[in-house]
Amino acid sequence: MSLKAISGAPRLILGAAMLTAMIGLTTVVQDASAATSTSTSSTVRTVTTAQVNNFTSREWNKGTWRESAGFSIPATAASKAAFKKGAQVRLADGQVRTVKVVYFSGAHMSVMLSGSTLNASATGYPKTVAALGSVAAPAKPQPATTPNSSAHSSAINNYTNGDWLNGVWRKSAGFSIQATAANRSAFKPGASVKLADGQIRRITAVYISGKNMSVMLSGGKLSGKLGHPNKLSSATTPSSPSAPAPAPVPTSPEPTPPSNTTAPLITALNSFNGGDFVNGIYTRSPGISVKATAANKAAFHKGAKIRFHDGQVRTVKLIYHSGGNMTVMLDGGPVNGKAVGYPRTIAVSSNGFSQPWPGAGGTTTPSTGKGPAPANPIHLVGINLAGAEFGDQAGLPGRYQIDYIYPGEADFKRYANLNLKLVRLPFRWERIQPKLFSELNAAELGRLLATLDHAKKHNMQVILDMHNYYRYYGKLIASKEVPISAFADSWRRIAQKVANHPAVYGYGLMNEPHSTNGKWPAAALAASQAIRDIDQKRWIFVAGDRWSSAFHWPSYNTRLATDPWMRDPKNNLVYEAHLYLDKDYSGTYASRRAVYDPMIGVTRAKPFVEWLSRNKLRGFIGEHGAPDYSPSAIVATDNLLKYLNQHCVPSTYWAAGPWWGNYALSLDVKSGKPRPQLPILQKHATNKSCGTIGPLQ
């Protein structure tokens, strides 16, 4: 996503999805900070003042952030030293807040505060703010007293498990109680509570989950002896403009009672690059950008945990909304956008993570309990459901159910149940269009559409694969008999018939072009543009010359991406390679005695994946396969899929479907014996770490 400059405006404070602080700025007020000393009783504080910037835009009103508590001031040396996390600031109306986080952008700094949003009329430009520095002679501390307003008591929930002990949160100070109207009214942030042992704590945050609420407190962790069957008492203390702001919310996850536990949400990162973002990761402070969907708004809250692709877990500190996006600020150190950013996903949970998430660097998979469905992750592992491409070249177009067959609903149901929901569906050009530039064959089109209906019924995604090896009735594309315009025409007609079918994931232009006389790039461009004229959304899969070999890709296919149109990310193009492990790269596996290096698949994939990364393009392994009699080939497949998934490159295994007999690579054999390849595919199919096809870096 490009970040467009706005005429007359300084650069954005936190990029396109964050604190777009200076949009519409016309004047910059110079810093008016000055160190002064004031004396109040026996307390002496150093006070640093600064004038609020005159920023007014969609996000700002007189230098005050509209959506969260914060203001913008010039980033002078004095202000940088005084306005720090944890410092107290006095606003123009006399109220005192605590600094939660500070962001810098060029000559300005955004100071984010505790509490609710500010009243710009009372605290914004041309007012000043004061940072209350260290106390030279601290006033005599006042003993804690019981709140003087009427108290309200509530029973503590009787929860005991890994996170709770007698309704007391184990990881930080907090209780769980019933979310009655009376409790919601009494237990609010800023109120004080009295515990069973007499100590008084301040409420820092409250989380509602169904019929229960978690009340988080200031201070250290509590003893479970203070929980059930004791009660929690609350009384709201009178507010004072000069009183310190409530303590920051603890960085532990939002506690949720066991009966309301929800599955983690998996969501895609935004593809923001440039300025302050790398692959949707904020570079100046730890943070991420995601879409502000309803599911994301519900899942991302202060205290929630997020898990990155590499397994690291962070805690949400603050959230900012800007249009259709939201920026989520995290604890900890810098985040490497190239390692964990777009096109990968992240997982977010109020309850932490416990179950293994295979294939994603030690991350975890969503639990199978109730909760929001994963948002945006792609299927990284799928299958080729073969049959519609069967038949001899000499007998084309052939006879349905004698020379060839389409996979039936039972095939789709079987693989949907096995969680292999990405399907590459081979078909023959001569059957769908028996004569060039003519209408599609109605009977064959009907079979294709019926097959797509099966996929839709079982929630599967289909890549339509024209399985013709760059030929039509044996004649090369770009020849006198089969002009490139005929190839483009065929795809235009197919797209017109299937573009609105929900099962169509993409269009596979041609299976394994070879001996193309260098004409394939022009043919691929023409067909891609013909499809894009009809369908602007779905993927177009562009196979490579030399049988699409991944290992040989850089030597044969650099011209595929020469034309700027073929490199434009808005055109949703995916480059397709094939990969087999045998000596001649063919997938025939002629030698049953061959033993394969465990990393041979990775070695053969790297030239293709690294070419994609250098050129910031997307990739797909349309075919790979291992024979059932070779344990070493299956181990190599395991390592291959792990490598591909790490780079968000999806793949479809060759092959599955009817009529395979006892073919050693097939997942469906006449004998019905278990297939050793299947568990490996299923293991890697659980990986939901990618939000789109990669690698793009």
Side-chain angles (χ1 to χ4, degrees):
M1 179 177 180
S2 61
L3 301 177
K4 297 183 179 179
I6 298 178
S7 177
R11 66 193 282 267
L12 307 180
I13 275 189
L14 290 182
M18 199 175 161
L19 295 176
T20 49
M22 304 177 196
I23 297 177
L25 172 64
T26 57
T27 60
V28 177
V29 180
Q30 296 300 315
D31 177 59
S33 63
T36 62
S37 294
T38 62
S39 178
T40 303
S41 182
S42 60
T43 300
V44 179
R45 288 183 182 268
T46 299
V47 180
T48 301
T49 61
Q51 190 168 42
V52 178
N53 285 322
N54 188 16
F55 297 161
T56 295
S57 67
R58 184 181 65 180
E59 286 78 23
W60 295 87
N61 183 12
K62 298 180 179 181
T64 298
W65 182 240
R66 295 181 186 272
E67 300 190 28
S68 300
F71 54 82
S72 177
I73 58 176
T76 65
S79 291
K80 288 181 180 180
F83 292 86
K84 292 182 177 181
K85 180 179 179 181
Q88 289 188 327
V89 299
R90 182 185 294 122
L91 306 175
D93 60 359
Q95 63 176 302
V96 175
R97 300 281 187 99
T98 302
V99 177
K100 301 181 71 174
V101 67
V102 178
Y103 302 108
F104 294 93
S105 181
H108 306 283
M109 55 194 287
S110 296
V111 181
M112 308 309 297
L113 307 176
S114 60
S116 59
T117 54
L118 304 176
N119 180 355
S121 298
T123 63
Y125 178 85
K127 307 292 196 307
T128 61
V129 292
L132 308 180
S134 58
V135 179
K140 183 178 180 180
Q142 299 297 316
T145 59
T146 303
N148 56 18
S149 58
S150 60
H152 169 79
S153 296
S154 173
I156 297 170
N157 286 327
N158 188 18
Y159 295 141
T160 296
N161 59 20
D163 295 325
W164 298 88
L165 177 58
N166 299 327
V168 175
W169 182 240
R170 295 179 186 269
K171 298 180 181 179
S172 58
F175 287 83
S176 178
I177 59 177
Q178 295 293 310
T180 62
N183 283 352
R184 292 189 185 197
S185 176
F187 294 91
K188 293 181 177 180
S192 295
V193 298
K194 184 177 181 180
L195 310 182
D197 61 355
Q199 64 174 300
I200 295 174
R201 300 280 188 101
R202 183 180 292 274
I203 298 176
T204 59
V206 176
Y207 302 114
I208 308 295
S209 179
K211 297 180 180 180
N212 302 292
M213 56 192 288
S214 298
V215 180
M216 307 308 296
L217 307 178
S218 60
K221 291 188 292 185
L222 303 171
S223 168
K225 295 180 180 179
L226 299 175
H228 181 84
N230 297 308
K231 290 186 176 182
L232 190 66
S233 301
S234 172
T236 304
T237 54
S239 61
S240 169
S242 60
V249 176
T251 57
S252 59
E254 173 186 332
T256 304
S259 60
N260 294 292
T261 298
T262 58
L265 176 78
I266 302 172
T267 192
L269 290 159
N270 284 326
S271 58
F272 292 166
N273 280 289
D276 296 328
F277 283 88
V278 173
N279 296 329
I281 304 295
Y282 187 55
T283 57
R284 292 177 176 265
S285 299
I288 60 172
S289 179
V290 296
K291 295 295 183 185
T293 63
N296 283 349
K297 288 180 180 179
F300 289 92
H301 56 75
K302 188 185 299 182
K305 297 288 188 183
I306 71 163
R307 184 182 286 276
F308 285 101
H309 167 75
D310 62 357
Q312 64 176 303
V313 176
R314 301 289 186 95
T315 303
V316 176
K317 296 175 65 178
L318 292 169
I319 297 172
Y320 302 103
H321 294 272
S322 180
N325 301 296
M326 53 195 285
T327 299
V328 181
M329 305 309 297
L330 310 172
D331 67 349
V335 180
N336 185 347
K338 292 185 177 180
V340 299
Y342 178 88
R344 299 170 183 88
T345 60
I346 59 169
V348 58
S349 173
S350 295
N351 310 300
F353 305 90
S354 59
Q355 298 182 359
W357 187 355
T363 55
T364 60
T365 189
S367 71
T368 56
K370 296 180 180 180
N376 305 322
I378 62 170
H379 297 301
L380 285 169
V381 178
I383 55 169
N384 284 263
L385 270 179
E389 84 286 11
F390 284 6
D392 294 333
Q393 176 73 33
L396 288 173
R399 298 162 295 173
Y400 177 59
Q401 291 189 330
I402 296 176
D403 299 308
Y404 69 99
I405 191 171
Y406 277 84
E409 182 184 346
D411 300 300
F412 285 93
K413 181 179 180 181
R414 165 173 158 76
Y415 287 102
N417 291 338
L418 292 171
N419 195 33
L420 297 172
K421 295 186 176 182
L422 178 63
V423 174
R424 183 172 178 255
L425 182 71
F427 68 95
R428 294 299 292 261
W429 181 3
E430 297 88 348
R431 290 169 181 155
I432 198 74
Q433 190 185 38
K435 184 179 179 180
L436 295 179
F437 297 108
S438 67
E439 294 294 330
L440 302 183
N441 180 274
E444 192 72 6
L445 177 62
R447 296 177 190 119
L448 181 65
L449 291 173
T451 304
L452 291 174
D453 288 343
H454 298 327
K456 174 188 174 184
K457 181 176 180 179
H458 296 284
N459 196 29
M460 300 181 81
Q461 298 173 321
V462 175
I463 301 168
L464 297 172
D465 162 48
M466 186 179 280
H467 212 80
N468 275 70
Y469 305 92
Y470 193 73
R471 285 148 176 82
Y472 181 78
Y473 287 110
K475 303 294 184 180
L476 289 174
I477 298 173
S479 64
K480 180 180 179 180
E481 296 85 354
V482 188
I484 288 176
S485 59
F487 178 52
D489 172 78
S490 68
W491 270 116
R492 181 181 293 106
R493 293 175 186 271
I494 293 169
Q496 286 173 338
K497 299 297 184 181
V498 304
N500 294 322
H501 200 291
V504 175
Y505 189 60
Y507 307 91
L509 297 183
M510 180 58 58
N511 178 69
E512 295 186 352
H514 65 94
S515 306
T516 69
N517 298 322
K519 302 294 186 180
W520 172 234
L525 173 63
S528 297
Q529 291 178 329
I531 292 171
R532 197 51 78 224
D533 287 342
I534 306 300
D535 187 340
Q536 286 76 46
K537 297 180 180 180
R538 291 171 178 81
W539 302 113
I540 296 175
F541 293 83
V542 184
D545 208 339
R546 202 217 173 272
W547 307 87
S548 303
S549 170
F551 184 74
H552 299 93
W553 187 279
S555 300
Y556 286 82
N557 291 298
T558 56
R559 288 180 55 231
L560 269 178
T562 298
D563 191 287
W565 195 93
M566 299 293 282
R567 302 175 67 90
D568 189 340
K570 293 183 293 185
N571 289 326
N572 290 338
L573 301 177
V574 183
Y575 290 88
E576 177 184 340
H578 292 184
L579 189 156
Y580 291 97
L581 308 174
D582 48 347
K583 185 176 181 180
D584 62 359
Y585 305 87
S586 68
T588 57
Y589 293 96
S591 173
R592 294 181 65 94
R593 298 181 180 179
V595 177
Y596 300 96
D597 184 282
M599 300 305 293
I600 189 172
V602 176
T603 299
R604 293 189 175 184
K606 275 187 174 181
F608 174 58
V609 174
E610 290 175 353
W611 179 84
L612 294 168
S613 295
R614 285 195 303 272
N615 291 280
K616 297 183 179 180
L617 300 171
R618 306 177 191 272
F620 166 62
I621 299 295
E623 291 184 18
H624 70 94
D628 59 359
Y629 54 77
S630 176
S632 63
I634 294 171
V635 170
T637 298
D638 189 4
N639 290 326
L640 168 65
L641 292 178
K642 180 179 180 181
Y643 172 76
L644 294 176
N645 287 7
Q646 287 171 343
H647 293 275
C648 296
V649 175
S651 62
T652 47
Y653 180 84
W654 185 268
W659 289 17
W660 274 120
N662 288 317
Y663 176 44
L665 274 65
S666 178
L667 300 177
D668 295 297
V669 290
K670 187 176 181 180
S671 66
K673 67 179 182 180
R675 311 309 292 149
Q677 307 96 326
L678 185 57
I680 300 299
L681 300 174
Q682 288 183 279
K683 179 178 80 169
H684 292 283
T686 64
N687 189 332
K688 300 300 179 186
S689 65
C690 297
T692 189
I693 298 173
L696 294 178
Q697 298 175 16

